[in-house]
């Protein structure tokens, strides 16, 4: 178990020095606390790295960021390196037909000698951003239970939580957070 304590007073909606805006998820802290000491974590689809910067205020675990669309995080992670992998608002941007392929890629980063713990936060509300094609930026919109059902193929989902917050465009933004352990083939 890890001790999860803030290194400084944290504002959950802030700019992170060197990383820009990021999402702060206090709901992730129990997942972080349950990881073994000296665990290396991967933020897959990290964007500017704001969530990782926020988490670094709570833990001394090593958090690596990877995002092919962000210049600071384009270097691919080493395979079979991580006991903890998380995503924050990533899966809804992936077309449904490509989700299995991306999951197989994520799986290559899991350690093979011990179970890898996952935490995935997925927005189930349409995005405010519209792509140049006219499509919504959230190209895969599923209900929380549908995401859990989909992920059950790959994860032993142990915690599912619905996260709700006010939204000026849609009234309410709903996300699902799933925590679980990678299923062995």
């Amino acid at each position: 178990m890890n001790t999860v304590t803030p290194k400084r007073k944290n504002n959950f909606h802030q700019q992170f020095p060197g990383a820009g805006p990021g999402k702060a998820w206090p709901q992730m802290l129990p997942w972080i606390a349950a990881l073994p000491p000296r665990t290396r974590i991967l933020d897959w689809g990290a964007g500017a790295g704001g969530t990782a910067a926020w988490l670094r205020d709570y833990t001394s675990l090593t958090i690596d960021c990877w995002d092919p669309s962000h210049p600071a995080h384009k270097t691919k992670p080493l395979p079979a390196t991580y006991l903890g992998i998380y995503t924050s608002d990533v899966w809804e941007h992936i077309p449904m037909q490509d989700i299995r392929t991306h999951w197989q890629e994520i799986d290559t980063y899991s350690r093979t000698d011990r179970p890898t713990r996952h935490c995935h936060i997925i927005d189930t509300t349409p995005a405010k951003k519209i792509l140049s094609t006219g499509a919504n930026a959230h190209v895969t919109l599923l209900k929380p239970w549908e995401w859990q059902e989909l992920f059950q193929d790959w994860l032993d989902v142990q915690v599912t939580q619905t996260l709700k917050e006010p939204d000026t465009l849609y009234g309410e933004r709903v996300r699902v957070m799933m925590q679980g352990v990678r299923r062995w083939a």
Side-chain angles (χ1 to χ4, degrees):
M1 289 281 273
N2 290 296
T3 304
V4 179
T5 54
K7 296 176 187 170
R8 63 180 165 82
K9 188 174 188 306
N10 204 303
N11 172 0
F12 290 123
H13 303 283
Q14 68 184 29
Q15 294 283 335
F16 297 95
K23 295 179 180 87
W25 300 111
Q27 301 88 344
M28 285 180 70
L29 296 179
W31 175 76
I32 292 287
L35 292 168
R38 295 179 299 285
T39 293
R40 188 173 204 99
I41 302 170
L42 176 62
D43 181 342
W44 189 83
T51 301
W54 172 78
L55 280 171
R56 287 183 189 112
D57 274 350
Y58 287 88
T59 183
S60 59
L61 298 177
T62 301
I63 304 172
D64 296 334
C65 296
W66 183 75
D67 193 314
S69 66
H70 199 280
H73 305 297
K74 279 190 171 194
T75 304
K76 273 211 169 212
L78 295 173
T81 304
Y82 300 94
L83 284 178
I85 298 174
Y86 73 88
T87 63
S88 171
D89 288 353
V90 173
W91 291 102
E92 63 273 18
H93 294 279
I94 299 172
M96 185 68 171
Q97 67 271 17
D98 297 337
I99 287 177
R100 181 171 296 279
T101 301
H102 286 289
W103 181 266
Q104 289 167 341
E105 179 193 329
I106 265 189
D107 201 36
T108 66
Y109 305 123
S110 295
R111 293 264 303 262
T112 55
D113 59 336
R114 291 188 280 174
T116 300
R117 296 188 173 279
H118 286 255
C119 182
H120 301 282
I121 298 174
I122 305 168
D123 196 339
T124 66
T125 311
K128 294 178 182 177
K129 181 178 179 182
I130 302 299
L131 303 174
S132 60
T133 62
N136 193 280
H138 290 175
V139 295
T140 301
L141 287 171
L142 301 176
K143 305 234 179 285
W145 65 268
E146 292 171 315
W147 280 110
Q148 181 177 352
E149 194 173 274
L150 179 65
F151 272 63
Q152 217 41 65
D153 287 345
W154 308 301
L155 285 182
D156 178 13
V157 177
Q158 298 163 339
V159 175
T160 302
Q161 187 175 354
T162 302
L163 313 175
K164 296 180 179 185
E165 63 185 91
D167 184 277
T168 55
L169 190 58
Y170 297 104
E172 184 174 65
R173 186 152 298 276
V174 178
R175 290 179 172 88
V176 60
M177 179 180 71
M178 292 177 291
Q179 297 175 14
V181 177
R182 171 187 172 261
R183 289 191 184 278
W184 294 90

